[in-house]
């Protein structure tokens, strides 16, 4: 099972009222709630003694604050082949806007213990590139070709501001899937549906053939979506936008407790907007 990754290259700006029951809530999600910038009210005068307090959002402060980042030139121990073990503690170059996925820890699923491990290009590129060249994946991810194609895609996220984090999905100690966890409300995808602050998006592909067609995708999607809601209290919805043609992917999201919200037109595909809401997580 694979989920298309086209959200990062959106260019056009069509408007799509994707979620009828979200429309009212979206009118309340003004920019101030996301940026933390105080807006003067209509009754505020022009007296020179009046002041306007501007507060930087916590996420921006976190990006500017390097005190908590390991800047001591720490390098992780390597295997004999020069790669880094998956269980080595990660020292990311910068924080992310998702609550430090590296610290989320494992989750117990019906299929076994599962955890997300943020990608390290030097360690993980050969594996992820091999998965991207699988014919079942190529049609939806469009990252087939030499390793440099996948490398560019990974580095564009890893050198960004932390709004999208590429990860390996490790089940019972074995890397078997690739995930992208991203801030849907800060992504070009938000131009195509009524986004709410802190909406969190998921892309997934099951990399190893033996793990496909067994319902494993649904199991992991449900567990991962619930993990997002547990680790990100400000997030009320987990979002996905698989290609409508990718029936196994759409079916997996439905089985994982997501509901089909709408069809949306993205620059590279027509997608099914899938939503798992915090308020409904115990019902679906």
């Amino acid at each position: 099972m694979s989920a298309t990754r086209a959200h990062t290259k959106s260019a056009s700006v069509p408007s799509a009222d994707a979620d009828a029951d979200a429309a009212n809530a979206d009118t309340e999600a003004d920019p101030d709630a996301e940026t933390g910038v105080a807006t003067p009210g209509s009754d505020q005068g022009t007296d020179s003694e009046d002041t306007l307090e501007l507060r930087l959002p916590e996420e921006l402060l976190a990006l500017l604050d390097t005190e908590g980042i390991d800047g001591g030139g720490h390098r992780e121990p390597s295997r004999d082949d020069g790669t880094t073990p998956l269980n080595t503690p990660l020292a990311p170059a910068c924080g992310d806007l998702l609550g430090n996925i590296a610290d989320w820890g494992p989750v117990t699923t019906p299929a076994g213990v599962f955890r997300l491990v943020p990608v390290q290009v030097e360690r993980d590129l050969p594996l992820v590139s091999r998965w991207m060249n699988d014919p079942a994946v190529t049609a939806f991810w469009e990252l087939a070709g030499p390793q440099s194609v996948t490398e560019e895609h990974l580095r564009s996220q890893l050198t960004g501001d932390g709004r999208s984090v590429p990860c390996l999905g490790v089940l019972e100690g074995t890397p078997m899937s690739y995930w992208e966890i991203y801030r849907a409300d800060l992504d070009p995808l938000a131009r195509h549906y009524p986004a709410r602050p802190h909406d969190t998006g998921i892309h997934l592909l099951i990399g190893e053939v033996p793990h496909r067609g067994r319902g494993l995708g649904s199991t992991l999607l449900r567990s991962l979506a619930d993990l997002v809601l547990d680790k990100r209290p400000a997030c009320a919805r987990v979002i996905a936008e698989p290609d409508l043609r990718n029936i196994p992917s759409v079916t997996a999201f439905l089985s994982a407790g997501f509901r089909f919200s709408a069809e949306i037109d993205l620059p590279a595909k027509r997608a099914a907007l899938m939503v798992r809401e915090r308020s409904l997580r115990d019902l679906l």
Side-chain angles (χ1 to χ4, degrees):
M1 186 191 73
S2 61
T4 312
R5 56 99 194 168
H7 72 283
T8 56
K9 293 190 176 180
S10 298
S12 59
V13 192
S15 174
D17 249 0
D19 193 348
D21 64 350
N24 292 333
D26 292 323
T27 62
E28 301 172 1
D30 58 52
D32 298 340
E34 180 64 21
T35 63
V37 178
T39 302
S42 58
D43 59 344
Q44 187 167 1
T46 58
D47 192 330
S48 61
E49 292 182 359
D50 290 342
T51 59
L52 178 63
E53 180 183 0
L54 299 179
R55 294 178 296 125
L56 292 175
E58 293 182 1
E59 291 164 344
L60 178 57
L61 291 173
L63 290 176
L64 296 175
D65 180 12
T66 60
E67 293 298 323
I69 297 174
D70 181 1
H74 172 70
R75 296 186 64 86
E76 299 169 350
S78 300
R79 298 190 186 101
D80 292 339
D81 61 2
T83 61
T84 302
L86 280 172
N87 60 357
T88 301
L90 298 176
C94 65
D96 62 50
L97 299 182
L98 291 150
N100 294 318
I101 290 178
D103 297 333
W104 282 8
V107 58
T108 300
T109 79
V113 176
F114 178 80
R115 64 191 178 104
L116 291 176
V117 178
V119 163
Q120 292 184 353
V121 174
E122 292 74 13
R123 178 191 66 200
D124 303 322
L125 178 59
L127 179 63
V128 178
S129 180
R130 175 167 65 81
W131 289 345
M132 291 300 181
N133 279 278
D134 185 314
V137 173
T138 297
F140 300 107
W141 282 77
E142 301 176 354
L143 289 173
Q147 287 189 5
S148 58
V149 175
T150 299
E151 180 177 5
E152 180 181 0
H153 179 70
L154 295 176
R155 290 194 186 279
S156 69
Q157 298 174 80
L158 295 170
T159 59
D161 60 7
R163 71 182 61 188
S164 181
V165 181
C167 299
L168 292 183
V170 180
L171 182 64
E172 290 292 301
T174 300
M176 43 71 65
S177 53
Y178 172 76
W179 301 70
E180 291 173 353
I181 314 299
Y182 67 98
R183 284 286 297 272
D185 61 321
L186 303 180
D187 190 86
L189 174 66
R191 303 169 184 168
H192 302 272
Y193 83 103
R196 298 179 188 174
H198 293 282
D199 277 355
T200 302
I202 292 178
H203 291 153
L204 161 68
L205 73 84
I206 302 295
E208 301 297 338
V209 175
H211 290 109
R212 299 175 189 165
R214 299 167 37 197
L216 186 57
S218 298
T219 297
L220 297 182
L221 280 169
R222 180 182 291 272
S223 296
L224 196 282
D226 287 345
L227 181 64
V228 170
L229 295 173
D230 289 340
K231 298 297 183 179
R232 303 203 67 238
C235 171
R237 305 189 302 180
V238 181
I239 304 296
E241 23 79 29
D243 194 308
L244 275 173
R245 300 170 300 163
N246 194 344
I247 301 302
S249 183
V250 174
T251 301
F253 280 104
L254 290 171
S255 299
F258 286 72
R259 65 180 179 84
F260 173 77
S261 178
E263 295 183 13
I264 54 176
D265 286 312
L266 301 179
K269 63 181 179 181
R270 186 161 180 78
L273 181 67
M274 312 298 296
V275 180
R276 181 156 174 77
E277 294 164 310
R278 180 184 297 278
S279 60
L280 299 177
R281 63 185 292 189
D282 296 327
L283 302 177
L284 297 175

